[in-house]
Amino acid sequence: MSQTLLEMAKDLVMAQIAAHRLSPDDMHTVLQQTYASLKALQAQEDVNGSVAVVTPETPPERVNWRKSITKQRVTCLECGASFKQLSVRHLKEHALDGRSYRIKYGIPRVQSLAAKEITARRKEIVQRSRPWEKAPTFVKAQEERKREQTAVAQRKKTTRAKASGNNRR
Ligand SMILES: [Zn+2]
């Protein structure tokens, strides 16, 4: 029976991935949660002999995570301690990591768990170093553009030379 439950959970999660509502990275966590929910549902079914209405157990109470991240501080929603940056080591104390913490509180994956000013500074550094310009595809595109521009410039030069040549005659 538990095999069937696991298959059901897998199908539900795969459907979410197919609908692009879930990244494959989050699959494992969600799969476990779905499986737990189904198991709880089955336990209730066994006791009552009918399917009980079970509200999904994911967010216990809707905490507004936005309030936990301010300009100077990020507050841990588990214990209320605040930091410049919510470290992996701290989250480990709550048996969480960046991914499960975000899922638990409905925080988007792109949201960094750090004070806003730190995030802003980091972005600035990334902008300045422009790591994507070192990517082979970008470099190739740049080279092609340069080649094209040189070709256009040379064509212009030739037409201009021809034109002035005509004028002289
Ligand atoms: Zn904490």
Side-chain angles (χ1 to χ4, degrees):
M1 188 61 203
S2 59
Q3 179 61 37
T4 326
L5 271 187
L6 191 58
E7 271 169 13
M8 274 170 74
K10 192 196 79 190
D11 288 346
L12 286 170
V13 172
M14 291 309 271
Q16 291 219 306
I17 292 173
H20 298 293
R21 285 175 55 198
L22 191 69
S23 76
D25 287 348
D26 294 331
M27 186 190 75
H28 189 65
T29 319
V30 181
L31 185 59
Q32 282 181 327
Q33 283 172 353
T34 313
Y35 179 64
S37 301
L38 286 173
K39 216 169 163 185
L41 201 66
Q42 191 197 22
Q44 287 213 336
E45 199 178 336
D46 288 344
V47 171
N48 301 333
S50 65
V51 180
V53 179
V54 177
T55 44
E57 51 185 298
T58 11
E61 77 255 40
R62 263 287 165 213
V63 198
N64 189 356
W65 62 266
R66 282 171 205 282
K67 282 184 191 156
S68 74
I69 299 169
T70 66
K71 196 172 177 231
Q72 268 108 27
R73 305 236 133 235
V74 53
T75 305
C76 172
L77 290 166
E78 286 285 317
C79 67
S82 59
F83 310 89
K84 282 273 171 200
Q85 183 179 334
L86 206 50
S87 67
V88 176
R89 210 196 314 158
H90 179 81
L91 288 173
K92 220 174 185 177
E93 288 174 23
H94 305 301
L96 290 168
D97 58 23
R99 192 198 292 166
S100 52
Y101 180 82
R102 284 185 178 88
I103 290 173
K104 183 166 183 183
Y105 292 103
I107 303 171
R109 251 184 311 143
V110 290
Q111 175 65 48
S112 62
L113 301 174
K116 278 179 186 165
E117 58 178 11
I118 289 186
T119 311
R121 204 177 308 147
R122 250 186 232 147
K123 264 186 201 156
E124 211 182 279
I125 291 166
V126 170
Q127 289 280 336
R128 218 179 295 147
S129 60
R130 294 172 178 272
W132 59 86
E133 292 195 356
K134 293 177 186 91
T137 46
F138 183 91
V139 173
K140 206 173 155 224
Q142 282 293 94
E143 276 169 5
E144 260 162 39
R145 218 165 71 192
K146 215 179 268 174
R147 218 175 299 138
E148 243 167 63
Q149 279 171 347
T150 329
V152 168
Q154 269 174 352
R155 229 175 292 143
K156 268 187 194 158
K157 231 185 260 168
T158 5
T159 26
R160 221 180 292 140
K162 257 187 211 159
S164 60
N166 288 344
N167 286 348
R168 227 174 282 151
R169 223 174 280 161

